[in-house]
Amino acid sequence: MQKFITSSPEETEAVAEKLACTLKGTEIIAMSGGLGAGKTAFTRGLARGLGIDEGVSSPTFALVNEYKGKFNLYHFDMYRVDSWDDLYSTGFFDYQDNGVMIIEWSENIREFLPENHITVKINILDENMREIIIKGIDMSQMQV
Amino acid sequence: MKILAIDTSASPVSAALLCDGKLVGEFYLNIKTTHSQTLMPIVSNLLSSGRVDINDIDLFAVNAGPGSFTGIRIGVASVKGMAMPLDKPCAGVSTLESMAYSLPYSDGIVCAVMDARCSQVYNALFRLDGTAVERITEDRAISIEELEKDLEHYDETVYLVGDGADICFQAFGEKLNVVLTPVNIRYQHAYGTAAAAEIMAKENRLCTPAQLMPIYLRLPQAERELKAKQEKLKKGEMQE
């Protein structure tokens, strides 16, 4: 488990960028944290770490956004997904093993995640401060 | 009768051309690309290499499910698109049934299993007598444990096919009389789809392009577990 305290969206992005360097290409990253916690900022940092220059925005309406970088990156938002049927019809299972998947509001589909996923929990400490807890990966093991 | 059959139900993609029961050509790829990019070039190549004009196809067949959500939609939509302007009949074949046609020369039970994730499989059982394929169960979504219990009722050799064959063999391969089929017949091929469609044509089970629909199987157990956990979570939150 790794714990970070950040005091701005930029610092949150930097933590995600560091996580991006440890990925092998097919990980599933399950994020949780309330509205405004910085889940999209975290994803933006992760995308930058994978060499993706495109603007990253929340896929609340599209359900999934796809980006191409060092690996494919699939950015899901499960806010409105709460049944197996819903999840299946997002194509969620078709994306597995084809790239890195990062999931906002993963608490809605927790039971359907494979066992070996990475979790990122963002706690709001005050207006700017965030506590980021990352489990399921050792970030000191950088991939070349 | 000329049948053009396609399969995009899981990670491989394939197309086959069957003319009066004879396999004229088959094209199979299992690479990590989207079927939406590979399928139509494959079909077009198969028809031109096989010297068959698409206007001469009598029946369009597709594995209509179960399987990958996106894959099934690509397959069904493509076949609708080809058959509709020509006003030709279609066969929506069960992916599981198509796999049984890979080994009709055998004697025993074919257990077709596809990995549905969440420890569940899409499954159906078929009995083979060396000539024909007889369906024993409906297409269903069950856990591997339930499948193992069900298979205990059969004395015959059970042949495992499908992309769930490996995980099932690992789970109960030692305990039961099951055979993990070799890779060339383990996964779905469009030939099986065409062979099943030929039988469906004889039995008048074809449909119009408009009637052709994807077949999705639900995962009742996964659904129940999620509902229970969600209720638990809600109660926990209320107590806090």
Side-chain angles (χ1 to χ4, degrees), chain A residues 84-85 88 94 96 98 111, chain B residues 67-68 70 117 218 223 229:
Chain A
W84 185 87
D85 282 356
Y88 175 77
D94 303 340
Q96 281 183 28
N98 287 320
E111 311 315 316
Chain B
S68 133
T70 320
R117 311 269 182 179
R218 310 182 68 211
E223 195 72 44
K229 295 254 168 73

Side-chain angles (χ1 to χ4, degrees), chain A residues 81-91 93-98 107-114, chain B residues 32 66-72 116-118 122 215-219 222-223 225-227 229-230 233:
Chain A
V81 172
D82 65 355
S83 68
W84 185 87
D85 282 356
D86 280 0
L87 184 64
Y88 175 77
S89 59
T90 65
F93 300 109
D94 303 340
Y95 287 97
Q96 281 183 28
D97 305 322
N98 287 320
E107 45 276 64
N108 283 357
I109 56 138
R110 199 178 297 155
E111 311 315 316
F112 302 138
L113 293 171
Chain B
K32 296 240 159 175
S68 133
F69 178 80
T70 320
I72 294 294
R117 311 269 182 179
C118 312
Y122 300 127
I215 309 162
Y216 293 124
L217 288 183
R218 310 182 68 211
L219 258 58
E223 195 72 44
E225 282 172 12
L226 180 75
K227 284 272 163 343
K229 295 254 168 73
Q230 278 171 343
L233 273 175

Side-chain angles (χ1 to χ4, degrees), chain B residues 130-148:
Chain B
T131 53
V133 173
E134 179 206 348
R135 184 181 271 279
I136 307 177
T137 70
E138 289 302 301
D139 289 359
R140 54 195 181 172
I142 56 173
S143 70
I144 295 172
E145 292 78 38
E146 286 172 298
L147 176 59
E148 182 183 343

